[in-house]
Every structure is written in structure tokens, then in C-alpha cells.
Amino acid sequence: MVAGEPGAVEDGDRKGGLRTALGGLTTRGRSFLAAGLAASACAYVLGQGDLLRVGLLLSVLPLVCVTVLHRTRYRVTGTRRLSPSRVPAGAEARVHLRMENVSRLPTGLLMLQDRVPYVLGPRPRFVLDRVEAGGRREVSYRVRSDLRGRYPLGPLQLRLGDPFGMCELTRSFSAYDTLVVIPRTAPLPALRLAGEASGYGDGRQRSLALAGEDDIIPRGYRHGDDLRRVHWRSTARHGELMVRREEQPQRARCTVLLDTRRIGYRGAGPDSAFEWAVSGAASALVHMVERGFAVRLLTDDGNAVPGEGTSGFAGSTQESADSAGLMLDTLAVVGHSDGGGLSRAHGVLRGGDEGLLIAFFGDLDEEQAAVAARMRQRAGAGVAFVLDSAVWAGEAGAAGRAEERLRRLRESGWTAVPVEPGDELPDVWQAAGGMRPDTPTAPSGGATGLTGGRS
């Protein structure tokens, strides 16, 4: 990604005028000016002509440097390129800066400084000795953050200095870039998903497109099509041979549900339960997209990403790849919701064609556990990873209460897996693949969980 920042420095950037230039005097310049004025005053009082000349020289030198630097006609442009522009938390990105002197005069000493948030590291500074007319200089630096988010880089600042170090003028570019730090993702084992007939499964499935004479969607005849599939009514309407499209591929669907309720988690920071859930949701959606599923991200407040239509699922494989990036960008900035329940997320699940539901729940009380149980009935299969706040806080008796909530989820058909501090997602994912939910009320049409075989 290249961000152009044109017209950074031109004619000394006269907006502030000479008064602003005088404000750019360095400590050395101010010292020379003060010493010169003091020497001139003493020479006047004592009547010393030689001392007066020395004082005038000391006073005039920084003023001359300010004037020359202020009136110097520099035209410098700069570009910034991020490689890459989206990185996982804890990974490094490199920022490439390129400065180009587009004026006819060579520049003097330049100091280049880029503004970066403190979480990305120290502010980078570079000294460019001399850039000839039409010349360019390229420098780079690295940034890294353990916290996900969107971080602005820039604007770029350029300091112009005179050869004597008497004055420095700072000019700022106008453009900036954004570095997106997404949650950490872990590679997950390729477990075979059971229940392909229920609308989810490993790879693709085929289903009847539409039924009934009036509902058939015809297409143009292709060489090799069976003539028995010719739809004569559509052929007469269009004036060319049309055949019945009896079957069409349908992509398996998966919804990744992230519980962001503020009351569902305790603590903060990279090792908190909430960050584990965000990272788990990111890993799950990336894994399911790679396996060919049409995936959407759903939060407890009912927001689904992506989705402009009623289903909210991306269509083609390319759309799924683009949607995966959009969902990761959303998870990069997701925070706690102020809502207290999962009802709105439950309302988004229409039932029947939702496919696989993978949920990351925080602390569930009796009411929210009941809502989660009803969610399971609106999906072909459900896998829940439960992060109980009391367990993460190490409270006495927390394990027993957590097991009771897990039992209730399993009775409603969920493959419910507890997550404790220090657990790695690939391990609990593998554990979910070896579990069978208690499904006395589970919908028919195949198994409702992950099986332990490799695909």
C-alpha cells in the first residue's frame, strides 16, 4: 500500500512567516544570539569597538541562518509503504519511506521523523545528509504490537536544518496510513465434519435447485446436454434451446458466534479470557474458509459480518476470501458490548439452513444458558467453547458451576467444551472433535458434532 504525500515542503512553507522561523532557533542559535546581544551591550557601555564587532557577528549569524532557511525553495515529496498492511498481534511489519527532491536545488541536512503510536515502538528518526536535485532516499523501520487494533502511521515530519545547526524548521506531510493488527490465529487440525446432509460438511454438497414445473430455472443448451432435459416452454419463450437446471452446487455454511458481553468476561490484556475468545473466533473462521465453507461472523448484539443479503453469507470462493479479511478487520477492533444478553444474536439465526454454528461464550448465567440452548435448535450442528469467568479468576467452587452450565448446553445438542487459562485452541478444537453431544432433542439428519477423523 502506497500513500502519496505531495507538496510537503515548498518555499519553506511560509504559512507561519518569519516569526515561526525564529521559533525554530536551536539551543545553539539562541545561545549565539544571546551572547551576541550581551557582547554588543557590554561593548557599547565600555566603548570597545572590537568587542562590538564580535557581538554583532554572534547576533547576526543565527538571524542570517533563519532567513536563508526560511527562504530556501525546497519541494520534497514522500511516500510510505507498509509490508504488510495487516499483521497478526505480535508480528512485525516493515514501513518503507521514500523521500524525493523534486526541486532544482539540492537540499541541506534533513531529519525525517514519522509519527507512530507508542504501542508500536519508539518514534523513528532518520538523518538525510544531502539530496541532490531529482534525487531520492529510501529508509525503513519496523513496528510491532502485542495488542490488536487499527493504528495510524503519520503524518511524516521533515526537519530542515542549516549547516551551522542554528535553526531547524519542521514541516508536516498531510497523508497517513493505517496498520491493522488482527488477532493471533492458530492453525487448527483438519477434523472431518459429520452430517453433510444437514447442510454442512467437508467441502461442497449438491442439492435440488427448485421443485415443480413452474419453479424450474432453465439455462441455455450446451453441447452434450441430454435432450430429455429440454424445457420446451422456455425454449419457445426465448427462441433458443433451454434445458432444466436440475442441480446446482451449494456451499456449506458456518456461523462463528463471538460473545462480547462486558459482564461475560473479567480482566483485560493479551492473556485475558476475552482476548482468547477473539483469537479463537479468528482462528475458527480462517480455518473454515480454507476448508471451503461460506462463513459469517456474528456477535451477541446481532451484527453479522459480512452480509448485505438476508443470509449474510458470502457466495463465491473469492467473496469468502475477501470476507475473511473483512471479518479479521472487524475482530481487530471489536470490544465489549454493553448489551446484557444473547437474544439479538438468537434472532439473527433463522433456522433450517444455518449449517454449522461455532460459538465462543463468556460467562453464562441461567437465562443466557437458556438462550444459548435455543440457538442450538436453529443450526444444523453446534460447537461451543465456554470461558467461565469464575474459572479464569480461580474462584473456589467455580469448576462445579461451570460443569453444570456445560451439561445444560450438551443436553440441548451443543458439543460444549470448557476452556481454562493456558489452554491452546488447537488442543480444545481436537477435544471437540472427539466429543459427542447429548442430543435427545437434536434435529435429525446425521451427527451433530465434530468427529475425530482426519480429512
Side-chain angles (χ1 to χ4, degrees), residues 125 202 252 290 310 313 318 341 392 398 409:
R125 294 180 175 89
D202 194 7
E290 291 176 349
T310 56
F313 295 92
Q318 181 61 38
W392 280 70
L409 291 178

Side-chain angles (χ1 to χ4, degrees), residues 145-384:
S145 175
D146 292 327
L147 301 176
R148 56 185 177 83
R150 295 173 61 91
Y151 300 102
L153 300 178
L156 201 61
Q157 289 183 331
L158 195 64
R159 287 187 180 182
L160 308 177
D162 65 280
F164 301 101
M166 299 290 181
C167 181
E168 288 183 352
L169 298 182
T170 302
R171 302 291 179 251
S172 294
F173 292 75
S174 57
Y176 65 93
D177 289 287
T178 301
L179 176 67
V180 180
V181 180
I182 61 176
R184 292 184 178 92
T185 58
L188 302 179
L191 303 177
R192 180 172 55 86
L193 300 178
E196 294 184 7
S198 300
Y200 57 95
D202 194 7
R204 299 174 181 269
Q205 63 173 349
R206 301 186 64 85
S207 63
L208 293 178
L210 294 170
E213 183 70 17
D214 296 334
D215 294 332
I216 293 177
I217 301 178
R219 61 169 174 82
Y221 176 83
R222 299 171 184 170
H223 179 71
D225 285 338
D226 190 347
L227 293 178
R228 289 176 297 182
R229 294 175 54 193
V230 174
H231 190 248
W232 297 108
R233 181 181 301 178
S234 299
T235 298
R237 183 183 302 115
H238 293 87
E240 59 176 338
L241 282 178
M242 306 292 290
V243 297
R244 295 181 178 89
R245 185 166 52 188
E246 296 178 350
E247 290 184 342
Q248 64 181 6
Q250 179 178 341
R251 301 189 66 211
R253 291 179 171 183
C254 175
T255 298
V256 178
L257 172 63
L258 175 62
D259 179 10
T260 64
R261 296 172 299 122
R262 187 181 302 275
I263 61 176
Y265 302 91
R266 300 181 190 177
D271 298 327
S272 64
F274 180 68
E275 292 300 325
W276 196 103
V278 173
S279 179
S283 301
L285 67 89
V286 170
H287 176 73
M288 301 309 290
V289 167
E290 291 176 349
R291 295 195 59 186
F293 280 71
V295 183
R296 71 174 173 183
L297 173 67
L298 180 64
T299 58
D300 60 288
D301 55 8
N303 293 327
V305 182
E308 295 181 356
T310 56
S311 65
F313 295 92
S316 65
T317 304
Q318 181 61 38
E319 289 178 358
S320 292
D322 296 338
S323 299
L326 178 60
M327 288 184 284
L328 289 176
D329 289 347
T330 301
L331 290 176
V333 296
V334 70
H336 290 293
S337 66
D338 294 328
L342 302 168
S343 300
R344 280 184 285 185
H346 174 262
V348 174
L349 300 175
R350 299 182 304 163
D353 59 351
E354 294 296 336
L356 178 64
L357 176 60
I358 303 176
F360 293 84
F361 290 124
D363 192 12
L364 297 174
D365 55 18
E366 291 295 330
E367 180 181 357
Q368 301 310 314
V371 177
R374 293 195 300 269
M375 282 184 181
R376 169 62 188 85
Q377 309 310 317
R378 295 196 172 189
V383 181

Side-chain angles (χ1 to χ4, degrees), residues 52-83:
L52 179 60
R53 285 189 290 270
V54 173
L56 292 176
L57 177 62
L58 295 177
S59 303
V60 170
L61 181 59
L63 297 179
V64 171
C65 292
V66 168
T67 304
V68 172
L69 189 61
H70 175 66
R71 297 181 62 85
T72 300
R73 296 178 178 271
Y74 290 153
R75 294 186 65 242
V76 181
T77 61
T79 58
R80 181 190 297 105
R81 179 171 56 88
L82 305 182
S83 177

Side-chain angles (χ1 to χ4, degrees), residues 419-436:
V419 179
E420 299 181 357
D423 285 349
E424 298 292 339
L425 181 60
D427 296 334
V428 295
W429 184 269
Q430 187 73 48
M435 296 179 61
R436 290 287 186 178

Side-chain angles (χ1 to χ4, degrees), residues 24-143:
L25 284 171
T26 62
T27 303
R28 179 184 299 178
R30 296 177 185 274
S31 300
F32 267 66
L33 183 60
L37 293 177
S40 299
C42 293
Y44 177 77
V45 173
L46 301 176
Q48 297 293 327
D50 294 338
L51 183 59
L52 179 60
R53 285 189 290 270
V54 173
L56 292 176
L57 177 62
L58 295 177
S59 303
V60 170
L61 181 59
L63 297 179
V64 171
C65 292
V66 168
T67 304
V68 172
L69 189 61
H70 175 66
R71 297 181 62 85
T72 300
R73 296 178 178 271
Y74 290 153
R75 294 186 65 242
V76 181
T77 61
T79 58
R80 181 190 297 105
R81 179 171 56 88
L82 305 182
S83 177
S85 60
R86 180 192 292 126
V87 295
E92 289 186 345
R94 183 168 289 275
V95 183
H96 301 270
L97 304 176
R98 186 176 68 177
M99 303 298 302
E100 184 174 0
N101 181 15
V102 297
S103 63
R104 298 180 180 179
L105 297 176
T107 68
L109 187 65
L110 301 178
M111 178 178 290
L112 193 63
Q113 176 177 277
D114 206 6
R115 291 185 178 179
V116 299
Y118 71 94
V119 296
L120 297 182
R123 181 171 296 183
R125 294 180 175 89
F126 305 93
V127 177
L128 306 180
D129 189 8
R130 181 179 181 273
V131 183
E132 63 278 5
R136 65 183 61 178
R137 298 289 187 272
E138 295 185 4
V139 294
S140 65
Y141 64 93
R142 294 176 296 180
V143 290

